[in-house]
Amino acid sequence: MAKPFLARHTWRQLACRKTTTPIIRRRQGIHNVSKQPRRSMTGTTLNPRQEDSSSEPQEQEQLRHRRHGLGKLPLVPLLRSILMQTLMSQVYVVDTASALIKRNMKLLTGNTLFKCVGNKTFYAQFCAGETESEIQRTLANLRSLGYKGAILTYAKEVEETRTMHNSSVAQTQASHQAHVDEWLKGTLRTIQYTGAGGFVGIKYTGAGPECVRLLGSGSKPDGVIANALDQICATAEKHGARLLVDAEHHVQQKAIDSWTLELMKRCNRDGKLVVYNTYQMYLKESTAILDAHLQFAEENGFNLGIKLVRGAYIGSDPRQLIHDTKESTDNAYDTAARMLATRHVENPSCTKIGLVLATHNAESIKKMRDLRQQQLRSGLRLTDLVYAQLMGMADELSLSLTEKRSDLPEEDIQVVKYVVWGSMKECMMYLLRRAEENRDAVGRTREAQRALWQELWGRILPNNVSKTIR
Ligand SMILES: Cc1cc2nc3c(=O)[nH]c(=O)nc-3n(C[C@H](O)[C@H](O)[C@H](O)COP(=O)(O)OP(=O)(O)OC[C@H]3O[C@@H](n4cnc5c(N)ncnc54)[C@H](O)[C@@H]3O)c2cc1C
């Protein structure tokens, strides 16, 4: 009697699609596939993708799988993604877990069992690690999947601002200095980890409660923060890194914009793009703010770095400031993206921009890809553009972007994954936001889940069986 498929093939063989392709082909009776990966004339190992020229239905089915790009994902991250997506799409699970974690943050992050389970699941899914070797391993893994790299961010952020009622001015100042120093140290380490050409995410609120207070009151950075920002910018310039300032709660956003514009004015000169600001297109005011910043950059002769997002604080930002419907947010996002990608065509002498299209929305990405294909066909210059998604989310989208498409004009597509590093405690606020975001994006999550399951079935089962299951 024939042994079950899984008994005859080790999990190692299922580890990624590259190794499973020959297995599946043998089962289908497709010949001339040796056990060893085929070698090209130059001796380099041929990727199974390069071998596919057959038009057989099974082969086409496999090609359809590969369009998701998930074939490159090793087995463990694939299984973990399925587990996380499944858990995070359950509203009840997310709400209960979030409430529990928020209420018992200190207790849980100090608990060995919670840390152990967390390390293997949500922390591994969304975070780069805590030590340099863990972080470097995560960055190397991302590069091996075809990404240009990461937007690496030190996770520390301030959850709440407590006033130190009984402290003296000197004590308050010392505490402020200590918070800023810790944040500065973490940010400088991030720049060092990412290396030349890398992206570094910056969260101003990580600099402590006094920084949060200054942002909230619309003040300028004080001497301590200004000094830290100077050091961060100088180090980024020296290492050739790019600094992407995160957008945060609306109450802090005016000051975040103003601090960041000042940095851009100073650093983004002579063709350089060192500092980027983030624009949350779910805010009704963002279209006008973006226009005003473009004009300010034009008048002051500097380059504008733009990270375009929809906005992650829908649960806490004032609802009346946010577009009334998801469709209006989508429209604002896509219109801004199009304007930024085409303005140099209408006005060739306009200020240089660097655009980071930070989204998991497949439609927004498709629109941008189509537009750039059109521009390429018309012989037009392309805007400096990077696609970005969060690590642990929308892998099917990110990986499919890294795939070369022979049917389209050649474009060197740059894809990066945003990832935070730090202790589990430092990453907790970020992780809670991701959970809420996934829970709210039911449609997108369902699509991602389907792609992940398809990929898993494609590895486990013979092609015709996995097809019927789907
Ligand atoms: C690389 C990267 C960096 C990011 N950096 C930041 C950052 O610095 N600051 C920040 O705030 N966020 C940031 N985000 C998160 C981002 O703002 C979104 O929350 C997230 O990406 C989901 O939006 P989407 O475009 O990916 O997908 P979609 O699922 O298409 O959009 C979901 C988003 O649409 C909006 N939305 C949903 N429902 C409604 C509604 N009823 N009315 C109006 N709008 C609605 C919300 O913004 C929601 O997050 C980042 C995301 C990525 C990928």
Side-chain angles (χ1 to χ4, degrees):
M1 205 173 72
K3 277 188 188 173
F5 179 72
L6 280 179
R8 280 178 289 125
H9 301 288
T10 63
W11 280 101
R12 194 171 232 286
Q13 286 170 302
L14 299 172
C16 72
R17 182 160 295 280
K18 277 181 192 172
T19 55
T20 59
T21 306
I23 300 168
I24 292 168
R25 283 186 181 162
R26 277 202 304 278
R27 284 186 62 79
Q28 291 159 347
I30 297 167
H31 304 296
N32 301 330
V33 180
S34 71
K35 282 184 187 173
Q36 296 301 317
R38 221 159 35 89
R39 300 218 155 237
S40 72
M41 304 271 284
T42 53
T44 51
T45 305
L46 278 177
N47 182 324
R49 192 164 296 109
Q50 293 165 276
E51 295 177 86
D52 276 305
S53 57
S54 163
S55 59
E56 293 179 51
Q58 296 99 325
E59 296 280 302
Q60 282 175 359
E61 180 62 16
Q62 286 193 23
L63 276 173
R64 199 174 70 81
H65 270 294
R66 281 185 204 133
R67 276 212 302 274
H68 288 301
L70 286 172
K72 289 191 239 171
L73 207 61
L75 184 63
V76 173
L78 177 68
L79 293 173
R80 194 175 51 226
S81 295
I82 291 176
L83 173 74
M84 295 313 298
Q85 291 280 2
T86 310
L87 285 178
M88 289 197 305
S89 59
Q90 308 296 320
V91 177
Y92 178 74
V93 175
V94 173
D95 284 351
T96 314
S98 297
L100 232 141
I101 292 170
K102 272 182 197 158
R103 225 174 297 138
N104 307 292
M105 182 89 83
K106 266 200 186 132
L107 204 77
L108 285 173
T109 48
N111 180 288
T112 316
L113 181 66
F114 179 82
K115 271 167 90 172
C116 196
V117 174
N119 261 330
K120 296 262 178 275
T121 54
F122 53 84
Y123 184 81
Q125 180 77 359
F126 297 109
C127 307
E130 191 173 355
T131 62
E132 175 162 11
S133 61
E134 286 168 357
I135 297 163
Q136 294 294 8
R137 203 179 318 129
T138 306
L139 296 180
N141 285 343
L142 289 174
R143 281 189 212 105
S144 75
L145 289 172
Y147 300 124
K148 284 284 166 196
I151 303 173
L152 188 65
T153 308
Y154 179 37
K156 188 176 183 294
E157 57 187 283
V158 171
E159 191 188 343
E160 52 187 316
T161 49
R162 264 188 236 114
T163 323
M164 296 164 74
H165 290 296
N166 299 321
S167 348
S168 65
V169 175
Q171 277 172 326
T172 313
Q173 192 55 27
S175 156
H176 174 44
Q177 182 78 53
H179 273 292
V180 176
D181 283 349
E182 196 190 336
W183 173 73
L184 171 65
K185 211 168 105 195
T187 309
L188 295 180
R189 276 175 70 187
T190 318
I191 296 173
Q192 185 203 319
Y193 297 155
T194 51
F199 291 93
V200 174
I202 303 230
K203 223 172 199 49
Y204 287 151
T205 54
E210 177 59 9
C211 183
V212 174
R213 192 191 66 75
L214 289 171
L215 289 169
S217 59
S219 309
K220 289 198 159 132
D222 65 7
V224 177
I225 299 169
N227 181 36
L229 289 174
D230 284 350
Q231 285 191 57
I232 291 169
C233 288
T235 313
E237 278 199 67
K238 196 172 125 202
H239 284 79
R242 290 190 251 183
L243 304 170
L244 270 55
V245 178
D246 275 3
E248 305 194 47
H249 289 105
H250 181 261
V251 65
Q252 294 146 357
Q253 206 43 52
K254 207 166 176 186
I256 293 179
D257 283 349
S258 134
W259 296 12
T260 311
L261 268 189
E262 270 314 302
L263 297 181
M264 284 205 252
K265 198 168 144 193
R266 219 177 334 135
C267 307
N268 292 0
R269 295 198 169 269
D270 310 321
K272 280 187 297 184
L273 277 160
V274 181
V275 182
Y276 287 60
N277 193 27
T278 299
Y279 297 84
Q280 296 161 312
M281 299 314 296
Y282 71 175
L283 293 173
K284 291 175 185 165
E285 64 190 22
S286 287
T287 302
I289 291 177
L290 186 55
D291 281 343
H293 288 189
L294 281 166
Q295 198 179 332
F296 184 73
E298 209 83 64
E299 285 162 7
N300 289 276
F302 65 91
N303 311 315
L304 200 70
I306 298 156
K307 184 176 94 186
L308 210 62
V309 301
R310 280 181 168 75
Y313 300 86
I314 194 161
S316 48
D317 274 351
R319 188 63 186 91
Q320 72 277 11
L321 300 178
I322 296 173
H323 283 294
D324 299 335
T325 60
K326 168 80 164 63
E327 288 67 38
S328 348
T329 297
D330 291 347
N331 189 33
Y333 189 92
D334 293 337
T335 308
R338 189 180 174 85
M339 179 272 287
L340 293 167
T342 53
R343 60 194 298 280
H344 68 286
V345 178
E346 280 134 38
N347 177 10
S349 63
C350 67
T351 194
K352 176 180 166 179
I353 63 156
L355 177 60
V356 176
L357 203 73
T359 181
H360 306 125
N361 186 300
E363 200 49 42
S364 295
I365 290 176
K366 184 177 180 313
K367 282 182 182 161
M368 180 55 77
R369 282 198 80 180
D370 289 349
L371 173 67
R372 286 166 74 84
Q373 289 305 329
Q374 250 175 22
Q375 291 181 325
L376 269 182
R377 283 195 194 99
S378 313
L380 296 170
R381 188 169 56 82
L382 299 179
T383 311
D384 177 334
L385 172 90
V386 176
Y387 296 93
Q389 287 85 41
L390 306 179
M391 189 178 94
M393 284 172 71
D395 285 338
E396 76 292 349
L397 196 65
S398 313
L399 288 168
S400 70
L401 275 169
T402 65
E403 305 274 283
K404 283 258 176 290
R405 301 245 324 247
S406 54
D407 53 327
L408 297 174
E410 199 66 11
E411 183 197 349
D412 182 23
I413 293 186
Q414 304 214 20
V415 191
V416 294
K417 289 295 243 188
Y418 181 107
V419 57
V420 297
W421 70 270
S423 65
M424 193 182 287
K425 191 168 168 228
E426 286 171 327
C427 294
M428 223 55 208
M429 293 302 294
Y430 173 82
L431 290 167
L432 286 171
R433 268 203 307 283
R434 297 296 72 86
E436 281 163 22
E437 198 172 281
N438 269 296
R439 179 201 58 188
D440 292 342
V442 183
R444 174 158 53 71
T445 312
R446 208 176 295 133
E447 222 160 85
Q449 257 177 295
R450 200 176 304 135
L452 290 163
W453 276 109
Q454 268 186 18
E455 175 57 28
L456 185 63
W457 285 127
R459 288 185 196 187
I460 295 176
L461 297 170
N463 223 19
N464 46 356
V465 179
S466 67
K467 208 170 152 186
T468 35
I469 283 176
R470 273 173 265 131

